[in-house]
């Protein structure tokens, strides 16, 4: 294990964290929130000093990294960003408990959007901005961001990308890792700016449109009102719903559109499955909740908003879907697990995995009927190799195991089965709100500190797709090489 | 610059490594998923799995925007087809590996023209040419020719108790008055571009530029001269052996080729009647001695196995064969062989990857006025020798060399003017129309102007 390189990268990430923390400091300056300004500046100083010291101590010429270094770098980076990002909340006194602040920051970076805040409307502007900004950074990935701005970290950056980018197979758009990272962020920034402008044109002011855009771009879901998006006009709600859906699409497809290969986009199985699932869910829910809202337009809008919010694992709500009939709730629960396309900013299992899993099941049944049949699973018009099939199946098994384990750890909480189970699902898939106690109008504030830490880890596991964190936490990974 | 490489075997990977290191955007294509996976893990390139002559695969690799397309799969026919298709799809320059002897005769010109190939490479033939040059001048570890063969760059290993031990370069120049220049020294793992105060030591590998006549003179003065190899023993009947034996026989040398495959031996015997073909296990020391290892002038190990080549070469060295050359393709083994005392190592894949790197740099520099004529990597690749055509736009024209402010670790090692070559002194000037040989370590030159501060 090339520990020096891992810690060197760790140090560089500390410096990047300092850079990112400067942005909310500027916001604090604009709104004259001087106490918050100081807390941000102290956090900047701490992370910059630590980052600089570590990266200069661990400077090394041996920049060769392998898969395990990639996993370790990514896991350390996410833990470090969350630990540092929580500081301003505590220092300014707006979230007195560090565990609460840590939970809130992890929830931000992992684009979950689960909150412990009892009253979000009493928060200062700069803190609200920072909360939402973590969504935006975490959505596309902290290390992809680092790759895009730090020149030539290492030739083998693919190991880092693979550990951080969600989905069963990670490919590059262009030959060089750094250019790929830049293109991804460019697409991301352009879409973000477009959404900010569209929202600003509606009934939101600039601050509100920026915050809500960050929340939907990263598919996070931190709002600044206690009723989430419910208080805004239908125009704003529809803009947000459409953009959430767009951010749930594989970014590679946007790149294909840019270089003019529309046919390849139209042939994407994952895209059509994703849109198909969303459309079906919208139809069923519309009919199911028709009796509550009366008009078909209103129910369609709410069904569309909620479906889009849940399938992309964002977690905004236009109404309290906790009060919906159980068919709708069941569908939403299912969508929570499915998630969106691989290579997007969303969480969950990812549609590509779901499709491959279903095909795998069909093939297995066929093999039972015809024991000598030679089978192949096809995805996106290409045969999926055995290794990928295996890793998809194993991922699913581990995914279920992790959910069960997390559920067992929080089962003594007094909020009942529905609340606890949906809380686990909502954090593990990076959605945010669940049902019952943790529904859109509730929050995680009443859980014990122990459960909050468990949920924090469950969010990190879900965002990094389980294995990087497990590998980084196992001692054999850290064996020293000579 | 965008470059597409089809085929990621030994040669393909070596080319790829070279080109990625030079900062190009490289797309790798290979038919085998496991090979392409490994490439993606190790190098910062885009990987496409598929047949390199398939338009869909090529489209995915973005071949229409490629400046250079290199096809180096196992199969000559696939390489040619891939280059043809790529060229039609918009690749600007194409390089194909074509190594079957039957394609490499008169038909090559015709085919290259029809397929619009920029160049075709035959690694085995090129390796054989290099081996032949070394066997003609056995005192050298390595020889590179600059254009016209007028100026040569020779690497020499200073043996134990060499008379040069402890001499500084200024003293050396005073002692041996000839037109030459010591332009690079390798000591252990360090490589130096020496100045006049540099002191030589036994065990150093030095690079010398001079015209071929002057080199002979210098070697004679240094007591290093060895007559060119008349009796050569070659182990392994490979394509390189074939090309090498043919050249040696044409120049009047006696050749013994040993291989343990009867069919191959028969084929060689048919095609090279003048050579002695022995069918037997070359790893058997008894056999080698019986066939005259003790009296041969040179031993060349060219089997397909690097390890075998190294081991038998060590045995040949222990039998005091004056010149032992081994073919070693894997980098890590080559450096080990060097530590074991085998200083003369030839690697076909490096020869080809240097050639492709030169083309890549020449294409990149096509806007620049001073084009690259040749490029060699010396001292295990850490030093480059480049030959530039000087245009009338060169910034240092008609200035005495001592007045040019060069970047560190750069040396002007030779000027070729018409048919004459000269080793430059401080008062010489570079004129337009010259060709200039520049030695550089630790940086990449694209244009002659880059040598100036």
């Amino acid at each position: 294990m090339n520990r020096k390189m891992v810690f060197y990268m760790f140090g560089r990430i500390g410096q990047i964290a300092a850079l990112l923390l400067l942005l909310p400091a500027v916001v604090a300056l604009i709104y004259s929130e001087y106490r918050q300004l100081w807390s941000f500046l102290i956090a900047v100083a701490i992370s910059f000093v630590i980052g600089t010291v570590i990266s200069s101590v661990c400077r090394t010429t041996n920049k060769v990294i392998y898969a395990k270094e990639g996993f370790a770098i990514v896991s350390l980076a996410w833990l470090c960003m969350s630990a540092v990002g929580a500081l301003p909340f505590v220092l300014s006194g707006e979230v007195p408990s560090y565990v609460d602040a840590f939970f809130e920051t992890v929830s931000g970076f992992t684009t979950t959007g689960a909150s412990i805040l009892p009253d979000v409307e009493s928060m200062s502007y700069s803190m609200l901005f920072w909360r939402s900004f973590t969504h935006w950074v975490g959505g596309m990935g902290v290390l992809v961001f680092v790759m895009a701005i730090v020149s030539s970290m290492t030739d083998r950056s693919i190991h880092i990308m693979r550990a951080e980018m969600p989905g069963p197979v990670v490919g590059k758009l262009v030959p060089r890792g750094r250019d790929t990272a830049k293109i991804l962020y460019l697409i991301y920034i352009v879409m973000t700016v477009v959404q900010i402008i569209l929202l600003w044109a509606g009934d939101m002011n600039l601050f509100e449109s920026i915050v809500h855009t960050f929340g939907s771009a990263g598919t996070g879901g931190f709002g600044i009102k206690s009723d989430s998006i419910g208080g805004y006009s239908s125009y704003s709600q529809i803009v947000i719903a459409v953009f959430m859906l767009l951010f749930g699409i594989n970014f590679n497809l946007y790149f294909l559109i840019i270089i003019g290969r529309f046919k390849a986009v139209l042939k994407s199985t994952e895209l059509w499955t994703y849109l198909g699932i969303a459309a079906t869910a919208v139809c069923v829910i519309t009919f199911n909740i028709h009796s509550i809202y009366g008009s078909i337009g209103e129910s369609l809008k709410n069904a569309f908003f909620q479906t889009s919010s849940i399938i992309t694992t964002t977690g905004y709500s236009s109404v309290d879907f906790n009060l919906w009939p159980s068919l709708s709730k069941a569908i939403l629960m299912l969508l929570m697990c499915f998630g969106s396309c691989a290579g997007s900013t969303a969480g969950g299992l990812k549609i590509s995995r779901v499709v491959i899993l279903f095909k795998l099941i069909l093939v297995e049944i066929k093999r039972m009927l015809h024991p000598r049949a030679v089978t192949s699973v096809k995805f996106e018009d290409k045969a999926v190799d055995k290794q990928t099939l295996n890793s998809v199946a194993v991922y699913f098994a581990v995914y279920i195991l992790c959910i069960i384990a997390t559920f067992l750890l929080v089962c003594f909480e007094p909020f009942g089965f529905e609340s606890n189970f949906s809380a686990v699902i909502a954090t593990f898939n990076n959605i945010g709100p669940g049902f019952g106690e943790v529904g859109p109008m509730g929050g995680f504030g009443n859980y014990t500190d122990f459960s909050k830490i468990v949920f924090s880890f469950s969010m990190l596991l879900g965002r990094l797709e389980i294995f990087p964190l497990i590998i980084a936490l196992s001692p054999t990974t850290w064996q020293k090489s000579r | 610059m965008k470059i597409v490489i089809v085929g990621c075997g030994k040669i393909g990977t070596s080319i790829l490594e070279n080109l990625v290191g030079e900062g190009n955007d490289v797309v790798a294509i290979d038919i085998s998923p496991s090979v392409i996976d490994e490439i993606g893990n190790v190098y910062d390139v885009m990987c496409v799995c598929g047949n390199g002559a398939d338009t869909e695969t090529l489209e995915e690799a973005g071949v229409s925007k490629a400046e250079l397309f290199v096809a180096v799969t196992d199969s000559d026919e696939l390489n040619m087809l891939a280059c043809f298709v790529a060229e039609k799809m918009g690749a600007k320059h194409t390089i194909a590996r074509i190594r079957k002897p039957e394609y490499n005769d008169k038909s090559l010109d015709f085919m290259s023209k029809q397929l619009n190939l920029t160049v075709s490479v035959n690694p085995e033939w090129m390796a054989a040419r290099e081996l032949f040059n070394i066997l003609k001048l056995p005192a050298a570890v390595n020889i590179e020719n600059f254009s016209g063969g007028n100026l040569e760059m020779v690497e020499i290993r200073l043996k134990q108790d060499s008379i040069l031990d402890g001499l500084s370069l200024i003293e050396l120049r005073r002692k041996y008055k000839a037109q030459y220049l010591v332009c690079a020294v390798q000591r252990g793992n360090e490589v130096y571009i020496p100045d006049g105060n540099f002191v030589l030591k036994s065990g150093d590998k030095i690079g010398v530029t001079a015209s071929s006549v002057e080199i002979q003179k210098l070697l004679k003065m240094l007591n290093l001269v060895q007559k060119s190899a008349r009796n050569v023993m070659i182990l392994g009947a490979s394509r390189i052996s074939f090309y090498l034996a043919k050249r040696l026989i044409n120049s009047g040398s006696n050749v013994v080729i040993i291989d343990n495959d009867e069919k191959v031996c028969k084929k060689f015997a048919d095609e090279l009647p003048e050579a002695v073909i022995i069918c037997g296990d070359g790893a058997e020391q008894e056999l080698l001695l019986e066939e005259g290892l003790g009296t041969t002038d040179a031993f060349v190990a060219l089997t397909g196995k690097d390890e075998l080549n190294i081991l038998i070469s060590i045995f040949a060295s222990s039998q005091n064969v004056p010149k032992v050359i081994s073919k070693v393709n894997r980098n890590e083994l080559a450096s080990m062989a060097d530590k074991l005392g085998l200083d003369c190592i030839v690697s076909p894949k490096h020869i080809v990857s240097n050639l492709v790197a030169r083309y890549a740099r020449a294409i990149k520099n096509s806007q620049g006025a001073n084009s690259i004529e040749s490029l060699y990597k010396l001292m295990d690749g850490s030093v480059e020798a480049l030959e530039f055509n000087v245009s009338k736009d060169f910034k240092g024209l008609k200035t005495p060399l001592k007045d040019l402010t060069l970047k560190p670790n750069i040396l002007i090692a030779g000027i070729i003017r018409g048919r004459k070559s000269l080793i430059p002194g401080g008062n010489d000037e570079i004129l337009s129309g010259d060709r200039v040989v520049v030695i550089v370590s630790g940086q990449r030159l694209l244009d002659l102007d880059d040598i100036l501060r």
Side-chain angles (χ1 to χ4, degrees):
Chain A
M1 173 114 188
N2 189 347
R3 282 199 217 173
K4 271 206 159 161
M5 184 65 191
V6 173
F7 283 109
Y8 169 75
M9 286 295 302
F10 179 69
R12 292 308 287 262
I13 286 154
Q15 291 172 322
I16 298 286
L19 191 76
L20 293 176
L21 277 162
L22 276 177
L23 212 59
V26 172
V27 175
L29 201 62
I30 291 171
Y31 286 98
S32 317
E33 297 167 346
Y34 295 112
R35 201 158 52 106
Q36 281 77 7
L37 178 62
W38 277 112
S39 62
F40 280 117
L41 290 182
I42 292 170
V44 167
I46 291 175
S47 60
F48 186 77
V49 168
I50 294 178
T52 312
V53 168
I54 292 182
S55 65
S56 52
V57 166
C58 295
R59 190 169 284 277
T60 167
T61 48
N62 176 15
K63 289 192 169 180
V64 176
I65 59 164
Y66 299 98
K68 62 179 168 193
E69 278 90 351
F71 289 132
I73 289 171
V74 169
S75 311
L76 269 185
W78 281 75
L79 285 170
C80 142
M81 290 291 269
S82 307
V84 171
L87 287 177
F89 291 113
V90 183
L91 290 172
S92 67
E94 295 197 41
V95 182
S97 143
Y98 186 78
V99 173
D100 282 358
F102 184 73
F103 178 94
E104 194 77 7
T105 320
V106 169
S107 165
F109 277 118
T110 58
T111 73
T112 306
S115 180
I116 43 80
L117 297 175
D119 180 16
V120 66
E121 290 179 31
S122 69
M123 296 287 282
S124 62
Y125 285 104
S126 50
M127 286 299 156
L128 289 174
F129 178 85
W130 171 236
R131 230 163 60 108
S132 297
F133 187 58
T134 53
H135 276 336
W136 192 80
V137 175
M140 195 44 91
V142 176
L143 279 141
V144 176
F145 182 69
V146 176
M147 271 170 65
I149 58 173
V150 177
S151 67
S152 67
M153 305 183 309
T154 162
D155 288 344
R156 306 190 176 189
S157 48
I158 185 74
H159 290 306
I160 297 178
M161 275 186 91
R162 208 174 279 156
E164 192 172 47
M165 299 282 288
V169 188
V170 172
K172 289 190 201 169
L173 307 172
V174 290
R176 259 183 285 182
R178 188 179 178 209
D179 295 340
T180 303
K182 273 189 194 159
I183 290 173
L184 286 175
Y185 258 96
L186 208 65
I187 296 172
Y188 195 41
I189 289 170
V190 168
M191 286 173 65
T192 306
V193 170
V194 170
Q195 194 191 348
I196 290 176
I197 292 170
L198 285 176
L199 285 180
W200 199 17
D203 63 337
M204 289 192 188
N205 63 31
L206 184 59
F207 180 78
E208 286 170 330
S209 39
I210 289 176
V211 168
H212 287 114
T213 301
F214 283 167
S216 40
T219 66
F222 275 147
I224 54 169
K225 294 269 155 50
S226 44
D227 61 350
S228 191
I229 308 294
Y232 294 100
S233 67
S234 300
Y235 166 76
S236 301
Q237 292 183 4
I238 289 169
V239 168
I240 289 178
V242 169
F243 270 89
M244 284 190 296
L245 263 189
L246 289 179
F247 282 110
I249 292 172
N250 191 336
F251 274 54
N252 291 5
L253 296 185
Y254 294 122
F255 179 70
L256 290 178
I257 290 175
I258 292 172
I259 61 171
R261 282 169 57 184
F262 300 102
K263 261 191 199 155
V265 177
L266 292 178
K267 274 205 293 193
S268 162
T269 320
E270 186 175 26
L271 177 67
W272 291 116
T273 318
Y274 169 62
L275 295 177
I277 292 176
T280 318
V282 171
C283 291
V284 174
I285 293 175
T286 307
F287 284 114
N288 193 233
I289 61 173
H290 186 223
S291 55
I292 304 178
Y293 297 101
S295 87
I296 195 91
E298 187 69 13
S299 2
L300 185 65
K301 187 199 78 188
N302 284 327
F304 176 53
F305 188 92
Q306 243 52 247
T307 305
S308 159
S309 163
I310 294 296
I311 196 172
T312 61
T313 72
T314 308
Y316 279 138
S317 51
S318 61
V319 287
D320 189 357
F321 57 78
N322 198 24
L323 307 172
W324 285 1
S326 48
L327 171 64
S328 298
K329 278 162 92 171
I331 290 174
L332 289 181
M333 185 76 111
L334 201 64
L335 294 183
M336 284 185 183
C337 295
F338 281 4
S340 300
C341 304
S344 70
T345 61
L349 260 180
K350 308 288 172 310
I351 300 290
S352 54
R353 282 210 186 86
V354 174
V355 172
I356 292 174
L357 272 175
F358 270 102
K359 292 194 173 176
L360 206 56
I361 293 170
L362 292 180
V363 161
E364 206 51 42
I365 292 172
K366 190 173 157 193
R367 260 234 298 268
M368 286 178 179
L369 290 172
H370 312 279
R372 293 184 188 195
V374 178
T375 55
S376 119
V377 174
K378 281 196 147 187
F379 184 63
E380 306 287 15
D381 271 349
K382 274 186 188 162
V384 185
D385 63 67
K386 221 173 165 185
Q387 226 171 346
T388 310
L389 287 181
N390 199 21
S391 79
V392 167
V394 169
Y395 181 82
F396 184 66
V398 176
Y399 172 89
I400 298 287
L401 269 180
C402 284
I403 286 180
I404 294 172
T406 321
F407 179 62
L408 286 177
L409 283 174
V410 299
C411 66
F412 58 83
E413 296 281 355
F415 307 109
F417 177 79
E418 189 193 35
S419 296
N420 286 345
F421 188 68
S422 68
V424 171
I425 296 284
T427 50
F428 200 83
N429 294 309
N430 300 145
I431 290 139
F435 301 113
E437 168 74 17
V438 295
M441 303 302 146
F444 287 74
N446 293 332
Y447 278 88
T448 58
D449 278 357
F450 172 74
S451 299
K452 281 174 192 161
I453 292 171
V454 170
F455 284 135
S456 301
F457 272 90
S458 120
M459 291 188 274
L460 281 171
L461 278 173
R463 171 60 180 84
L464 300 180
E465 305 214 314
I466 306 172
F467 291 111
L469 209 56
I470 292 180
I471 290 168
L473 289 176
S474 83
T476 48
T477 315
W478 293 90
Q479 263 164 6
K480 198 173 182 177
S481 62
R482 277 177 298 279
Chain B
M1 187 167 75
K2 182 155 184 190
I3 299 172
V4 178
I5 298 175
V6 177
C8 297
K10 273 185 287 192
I11 290 203
T13 310
S14 177
I15 294 175
L16 187 136
E17 186 176 355
N18 215 328
L19 293 177
V20 173
E22 302 220 336
N24 297 298
D25 290 344
V26 179
V27 182
I29 303 180
D30 199 286
I31 192 91
S32 148
S34 59
V35 168
I36 213 75
D37 266 2
E38 186 53 35
I39 293 286
N41 281 339
V42 177
Y43 302 102
D44 199 3
V45 298
M46 189 158 112
C47 294
V48 178
C49 186
N51 180 339
D54 171 26
T55 51
E56 249 172 67
T57 309
L58 290 176
E59 197 183 323
E60 199 182 331
V63 85
S64 55
K65 292 198 183 72
E67 306 256 1
L68 180 62
F69 182 86
V70 185
V72 284
T73 66
D74 269 348
S75 143
D76 289 349
E77 292 80 4
L78 180 61
N79 294 342
M80 289 193 264
L81 185 61
C83 280
F84 172 76
V85 176
E87 205 261 341
K88 292 282 174 246
M89 287 174 75
K92 293 222 175 58
H93 303 265
T94 51
I95 298 179
R97 169 162 81 167
I98 302 176
R99 53 181 190 173
K100 275 192 191 150
E102 51 268 42
Y103 295 142
N104 264 302
D105 46 20
K106 276 174 238 147
S107 61
L108 187 64
D109 259 359
F110 174 76
M111 258 184 321
S112 298
K113 222 168 268 166
Q114 296 303 313
L115 295 171
N116 253 336
L117 290 180
T118 309
V119 69
S120 73
V121 291
N122 183 353
E124 284 77 16
W125 185 82
M126 290 160 80
R129 187 181 57 180
E130 187 157 326
L131 285 167
F132 180 76
N133 285 341
I134 296 173
L135 289 173
K136 287 287 116 188
L137 192 66
V141 178
N142 184 17
I143 302 165
E144 308 285 8
N145 290 309
F146 296 103
S147 56
N150 234 328
L151 201 60
E152 285 181 348
M153 162 95 202
V154 176
E155 286 177 49
I156 302 169
R157 169 83 65 176
L158 301 186
K159 296 246 163 61
Q160 281 299 311
D161 308 321
S162 161
I163 49 169
L164 298 181
D165 189 39
L167 238 56
S168 78
L169 293 186
I170 292 183
E171 291 167 324
L172 185 70
R173 181 158 277 248
R174 249 182 248 139
K175 214 167 162 186
Y176 304 106
K177 290 211 164 47
Q179 281 281 322
Y180 68 88
L181 185 73
V182 176
C183 50
V185 179
Q186 185 178 31
R187 180 174 297 163
N189 291 327
E190 295 285 315
V191 175
Y192 307 92
I193 304 276
D195 60 4
N197 301 319
F198 192 89
V199 179
L200 297 173
K201 267 195 201 159
S202 293
D204 287 354
K205 191 153 92 178
I206 61 172
V208 179
T209 21
S211 68
S212 32
V213 185
E214 296 288 330
I215 292 253
Q216 295 290 353
K217 246 201 252 173
L218 179 71
L219 291 175
K220 205 172 279 169
M221 283 190 280
L222 298 180
N223 267 337
L224 276 173
V225 88
Q226 276 177 20
K227 61 178 172 40
S228 71
R230 304 286 304 162
N231 300 305
V232 181
M233 183 181 277
I234 300 176
L235 184 70
S238 57
R239 283 200 185 105
I240 305 184
S241 321
F242 177 77
Y243 292 122
L244 177 62
K246 217 166 168 186
R247 269 175 175 255
L248 287 170
I249 289 165
N250 285 343
S251 73
S253 303
N254 302 316
V255 179
V256 179
I257 301 177
I258 302 174
D259 197 288
N260 59 0
D261 187 324
E262 212 177 317
K263 258 194 206 151
V264 178
C265 286
K266 182 82 184 57
K267 206 177 145 213
F268 264 58
D270 289 344
E271 286 171 18
L272 298 167
E274 299 93 337
V276 179
I277 315 287
I278 308 289
C279 181
D281 185 1
E284 239 174 76
Q285 305 186 344
E286 196 58 40
L287 177 78
L288 293 177
L289 293 172
E290 189 187 336
E291 291 306 327
L293 187 68
T295 55
T296 187
D297 297 330
F299 178 83
V300 188
L302 295 176
T303 69
K305 290 206 174 79
D306 288 353
E307 299 85 345
L308 191 64
N309 290 341
I310 293 174
L311 283 175
I312 300 179
S313 297
I314 291 173
F315 173 65
S317 295
S318 74
Q319 295 297 313
N320 294 323
V321 177
K323 185 76 195 172
V324 177
I325 312 176
S326 12
K327 183 191 99 174
V328 179
N329 249 332
R330 287 167 56 180
N331 291 344
E332 58 271 28
L333 286 178
S335 63
M336 260 190 247
D338 201 49
K339 280 191 196 114
L340 290 169
L342 302 173
D343 50 12
C344 201
I345 284 167
V346 167
S347 152
K349 71 172 191 186
H350 282 147
I351 300 172
V352 175
S353 73
N354 288 351
L355 180 89
V356 174
R358 168 161 74 81
Y359 272 98
R361 246 188 263 183
I363 292 167
K364 220 190 250 179
N365 184 37
S366 55
Q367 291 88 12
N370 310 300
S371 59
I372 299 173
E373 183 75 25
S374 43
L375 178 154
Y376 297 113
K377 302 217 169 188
L378 314 168
M379 309 285 170
D380 305 332
S382 45
V383 174
E384 289 184 351
L386 294 117
E387 181 181 353
F388 288 102
N389 289 313
V390 181
S391 75
K392 56 183 190 309
D393 299 326
F394 174 54
K395 289 184 189 120
L397 229 48
K398 287 184 188 157
T399 319
L401 293 185
K402 61 178 183 218
D403 295 339
L404 288 177
T405 43
L406 299 184
K407 287 183 190 157
N409 286 327
I410 284 184
L411 192 71
I412 296 177
I415 299 176
I416 304 165
R417 188 165 295 153
R419 298 180 57 80
K420 251 181 40 199
S421 59
L422 66 128
I423 301 299
N427 294 321
D428 287 313
E429 298 173 357
I430 297 175
L431 304 178
S432 104
D434 284 356
R435 272 164 299 170
V436 176
V437 175
V438 178
I439 308 289
V440 53
S441 97
Q443 50 200 310
R444 296 203 165 77
L445 296 180
L446 278 178
D447 196 291
L448 191 56
D449 285 333
D450 295 345
I451 66 172
L452 302 173
R453 233 184 249 276

